[in-house]
Amino acid sequence: GDSVTQMEGPVTLSEEAFLTINCTYTATGYPSLFWYVQYPGEGLQLLLKATKADDKGSNKGFEATYRKETTSFHLEKGSVQVSDSAVYFCALSPYTGANSKLTFGKGITLSVRP
Amino acid sequence: DVKVTQSSRYLVKRTGEKVFLECVQDMDHENMFWYRQDPGLGLRLIYFSYDVKMKEKGDIPEGYSVSREKKERFSLILESASTNQTSMYLCASSFGTGRGAGANVLTFGAGSRLTVL
């Protein structure tokens, strides 16, 4: 079945540091790929998505590129801020599915120090 | 602003009690989902529904049931709560069915944290 693997956490960075969070997936066909973010005390919200190979999703300074050859969708940001402290989830949804049922990774907690 | 509203943010119940978690969305979405979130396990799908009165099991349906009598409302029911159902429960909804609907974004509620004593 479909699965998503995220790097182990938590991750602690200083403000303005470079961020990479690794995500790899296993799926048949051409899934859509997502990064969701959960700020403290809130539900999840979409950060960015990509729906086909070589697409780059971007939002709020974060980027991720859909790499079919390596089955990866790594999240990057050039300069993190304290306000980026949150839990980040990588997820996929099968394109051929009749609905947008997501399979999530385990999530990784990011803490950014001033 | 579009919303998914979960009726209770925090609940404390006793083992064996029947528990109802309610979720309402105001976006006329076809699909609704219940996930549970546990540390180190991420989000796991319990049940989902793609139409009124329709339901499908997710990855961990045991011990749960659902009800969708109206398009905007999706209820999660714990018939006899147990301590291993202590968790954060997240409701979500999305637009569209059919091929390509997998590209559509889920909108999540703020979550219901259930403690079973």
Side-chain angles (χ1 to χ4, degrees):
Chain A
D2 296 345
S3 67
V4 175
T5 302
Q6 292 185 231
M7 59 183 279
E8 296 283 328
V11 173
T12 301
L13 295 173
S14 296
E15 204 165 25
E16 299 184 1
F18 183 83
L19 169 71
T20 299
I21 301 177
N22 290 342
C23 172
T24 58
Y25 68 91
T26 301
T28 55
Y30 300 88
S32 295
L33 301 174
F34 303 81
W35 278 99
Y36 280 79
V37 60
Q38 185 178 34
Y39 298 104
E42 299 182 13
L44 277 72
Q45 58 185 270
L46 177 73
L47 181 59
L48 52 85
K49 73 174 189 179
T51 58
K52 61 182 187 294
D54 300 324
D55 265 3
K56 178 185 284 187
S58 61
N59 186 28
K60 299 183 180 179
F62 291 89
E63 293 183 341
T65 301
Y66 189 141
R67 301 288 188 198
K68 187 159 179 64
E69 64 276 14
T70 55
T71 61
S72 65
F73 193 54
H74 305 321
L75 183 68
E76 296 183 337
K77 187 175 185 181
S79 176
V80 294
Q81 306 300 311
V82 172
S83 57
D84 294 327
S85 298
V87 182
Y88 292 81
F89 293 92
C90 186
L92 70 81
S93 182
Y95 179 78
T96 55
N99 53 64
S100 43
K101 182 165 73 81
L102 288 179
T103 297
F104 284 88
K106 293 184 178 181
I108 187 169
T109 299
L110 170 66
S111 299
V112 180
R113 299 184 300 239
Chain B
D1 195 15
V2 294
K3 280 188 178 177
V4 175
T5 303
Q6 295 183 230
S7 56
S8 303
R9 289 298 305 271
Y10 301 94
L11 303 93
V12 179
K13 299 293 182 180
R14 297 203 175 274
T15 300
E17 282 193 75
K18 191 169 186 175
V19 181
F20 292 87
L21 299 179
E22 304 286 344
C23 175
V24 176
Q25 51 96 2
D26 64 0
M27 298 166 281
D28 202 33
H29 282 172
E30 289 86 350
N31 307 306
M32 296 189 75
F33 307 83
W34 277 106
Y35 287 87
R36 67 176 280 178
Q37 181 180 9
D38 300 288
L41 297 178
L43 275 73
R44 294 177 291 167
L45 182 64
I46 305 171
Y47 268 97
F48 65 101
S49 168
Y50 53 88
D51 201 353
V52 176
K53 296 192 185 296
M54 304 301 290
K55 61 183 179 183
E56 288 198 24
K57 294 180 179 179
D59 300 316
I60 52 164
E62 296 78 17
Y64 303 93
S65 62
V66 291
S67 172
R68 192 163 181 204
E69 297 296 318
K70 294 184 177 181
K71 189 176 185 180
E72 68 270 17
R73 187 179 298 270
F74 192 37
S75 302
L76 180 68
I77 303 155
L78 288 66
E79 294 288 343
S80 178
S82 63
T83 55
N84 63 13
Q85 293 178 310
T86 292
S87 186
M88 171 70 85
Y89 290 89
L90 293 171
C91 176
S93 70
S94 70
F95 172 75
T97 59
R99 186 178 180 87
N104 294 337
V105 174
L106 266 64
T107 300
F108 282 84
S112 297
R113 183 167 295 282
L114 172 66
T115 301
V116 183
L117 302 175

